[in-house]
Amino acid sequence: MTRTQYYTATSADGFIADEHNSLDWLFEVGRGAEVDPADSREEEWDEFIGGVGSMAMGATTYEWVLDHENLLENPQRWHDYYGDRPAFVFTHRDLPPIPGVDLRFVSGQVSGVYDDLVAAAAGRNIWVVGGGDLVGQFDDAGLLDEILLNVTPVFLGAGAPLLPRRITSERVTVREARQAGQRVRIVLDVRRPGQAGASSAK
C-alpha cells in the first residue's frame, strides 16, 4: 500500500527553515561521531529513498533546492540526490524546469493530484518534501500516513513551521525515537480520519 510520508529535518523548536528561508543552520551541526561513531544516517536515507516512488513539494522548497544546488547549470545534482523519481511541484507561479528531470508543475487541491502521485509512485511511497503547509494540506485531505523527523539541536526562534496544523495524539503515535549523532530521529505514524486505529506499518 502506498503511504504518504513527510521526511524532514527540524530545529528543536519546530522550524524547518529560518525566517529568511535558509537552511544554513542545518549544515552547521556536526555529525557527532563521538556520540555515535557508527552513524547510520546514510543507511537510513538509502532505506527511506529506496521506498519512495514519487515526490511532492511546494514552490518555496523547489526554489530553495534549485538555487542552493544551482540545478539549472548542474541538473545531475538532482539525480544524484533524488534519482529519476517524478516530482510534483505545487505552485501558482511559473517556475523554471530542470533539464532532464521529470517535473510536473501542478496547482489546486492536493486531493486532485493524489491519484496521479500514487500512479507515479508505482507501488512505492509518496514523499512530501515540504514545506510544512503543503504537508498540512495533505493531512487536511486525510492523506498523510507518516512523519519522519531528524530533530537538530538548534533553536531558531522564528521561521517556517514544521507542520502548521493541530494534529493531536488521538491520531499520532510514536513508532521510533533514537539518537543518531547530533540529531534525534523520531518516526510518527499518523492515523487517517476514519481509520480504526493508529497505523502499525513498518
Side-chain angles (χ1 to χ4, degrees), residues 18-138:
D18 68 18
E19 66 270 33
H20 306 295
N21 284 324
S22 172
L23 295 180
D24 289 345
W25 56 273
L26 177 62
F27 303 109
E28 292 171 358
V29 178
R31 294 181 65 85
E34 72 283 358
V35 177
D36 185 3
D39 192 333
S40 61
R41 274 181 289 164
E42 289 186 9
E43 180 179 331
E44 290 174 349
W45 165 253
D46 290 342
E47 180 181 354
F48 167 75
I49 198 66
V52 171
S54 63
M55 304 185 301
M57 64 177 64
T60 300
T61 300
Y62 176 74
E63 288 181 305
W64 187 90
V65 174
L66 195 73
D67 294 338
H68 185 265
E69 298 295 333
N70 195 18
L71 292 176
L72 294 182
E73 295 183 14
N74 300 282
Q76 185 57 41
R77 292 179 181 174
W78 175 283
H79 294 287
D80 291 343
Y81 196 68
Y82 299 118
D84 295 325
R85 295 165 183 82
F88 292 70
V89 180
F90 287 78
T91 180
H92 295 288
R93 297 178 279 118
D94 290 331
L95 296 173
I98 304 168
V101 174
D102 185 355
L103 293 169
R104 309 176 192 186
F105 296 99
V106 296
S107 61
Q109 300 294 319
V110 297
S111 57
V113 182
Y114 178 71
D115 287 346
D116 292 334
L117 278 160
V118 171
R124 292 184 290 172
N125 296 323
I126 299 165
W127 175 19
V128 186
V129 185
D133 186 67
L134 179 63
V135 180
Q137 291 177 49
F138 272 87

